[in-house]
Amino acid sequence: MTRACDLFNQNVKISEVAVLKAKSSTQIMVKRKPGRNPAAGLLMIGNRAISCRLGRSGIRCRKVEGDGSTPAGKFAILFGYYRRDRIRKPATRIILRNIRPEDGWCDDPGSPNYNKPVKLPLSASHEMMCRNDRLYDVCIVLDYNINPVIRRRGSAIFFHQTSPELKPTEGCVAIDPKEMRRLLPMVSNKTVVRILP
């Protein structure tokens, strides 16, 4: 059973947010670019094609925690975060909240908080959402392994911004910050992200 958490300073359950994956008005398709680099991808929305970065191991149908792969499948957009101290709130129909220093995301398969947002400090392994780099200045949560959560199947699968060096992700999908600003007004909680194997 999904634990209640205060994602938006109110009593919202992840399972309740996941109900928003009703019929999609927009579809985003992600696939690997041809070539030798497994982390080079292509994101398509409408008639636009945008270069993106994938996990260092490319796209896999069966993801395992720490394997560096981006999971294949069909995922809803649940909600997102942004850094109010760095950027203006992006124009979008997605629910966004400001990232705070105490925001984290648990990636410890042995923890009851695995693949859930958590409040820091936390003894279990976790990601800090308030990063020094720009990756999570805009960070959208996809419903991969959310409801139900399956141990070791992967955590913190986000749609976020690329690094300036265009490094591979740990399993997320990432695009350039300028492209993110252009794309966000086009999507909502009804948008489906299809990641092709």
Side-chain angles (χ1 to χ4, degrees):
M1 183 174 175
T2 305
R3 182 179 63 86
C5 57
D6 63 340
L7 296 176
F8 314 110
N9 296 324
Q10 57 185 342
N11 293 325
V12 175
K13 292 183 181 179
I14 289 181
S15 59
E16 292 170 348
V17 178
V19 169
L20 295 172
K21 54 183 198 177
K23 290 187 179 179
S24 172
S25 58
T26 306
Q27 179 172 273
I28 294 173
M29 194 170 304
V30 177
K31 65 180 184 177
R32 189 179 153 194
K33 275 186 182 175
R36 295 184 178 215
N37 184 355
L42 196 61
L43 181 148
M44 291 155 288
I45 181 168
N47 60 0
R48 298 194 63 213
I50 303 166
S51 289
C52 66
R53 279 292 174 259
L54 307 168
R56 66 182 182 274
S57 303
I59 298 172
R60 290 189 182 162
C61 292
R62 188 154 177 85
K63 179 170 177 56
V64 176
E65 184 69 43
D67 68 358
S69 70
T70 298
K74 179 179 170 182
F75 311 111
I77 289 175
L78 297 181
F79 57 91
Y81 297 93
Y82 79 104
R83 288 288 298 269
R84 185 170 58 197
D85 60 326
R86 291 185 178 175
I87 62 170
R88 294 175 71 179
K89 187 173 184 178
T92 185
R93 290 172 286 166
I94 300 168
I95 299 169
L96 293 180
R97 64 163 282 220
N98 179 47
I99 295 176
R100 301 164 298 188
E102 64 268 23
D103 288 329
W105 198 280
C106 182
D107 58 12
D108 183 348
S111 169
N113 293 313
Y114 179 58
N115 200 27
K116 295 178 185 172
V118 290
K119 186 175 180 181
L120 305 179
L122 183 74
S123 59
S125 176
H126 61 274
E127 282 201 47
M128 292 182 63
M129 300 301 292
C130 193
R131 297 173 61 110
N132 292 328
D133 58 29
R134 73 182 191 186
L135 269 63
Y136 292 177
D137 285 5
V138 175
C139 178
I140 307 302
V141 179
L142 301 180
D143 77 340
Y144 175 76
N145 198 25
I146 295 282
N147 189 23
V149 175
I150 300 172
R151 305 274 181 217
R152 291 176 285 282
R153 286 294 294 274
S155 61
I157 300 301
F158 303 141
F159 176 41
H160 62 72
Q161 300 185 154
T162 54
S163 68
E165 307 81 17
L166 300 178
K167 293 179 182 176
T169 71
E170 295 298 315
C172 301
V173 176
I175 62 173
D176 181 82
K178 290 179 183 175
E179 295 290 359
M180 181 70 83
R181 282 195 297 273
R182 291 187 190 107
L183 182 142
L184 282 174
M186 303 167 64
V187 299
S188 72
N189 292 103
K190 292 183 179 180
T191 300
V192 171
V193 179
R194 298 177 69 94
I195 303 176
L196 305 179

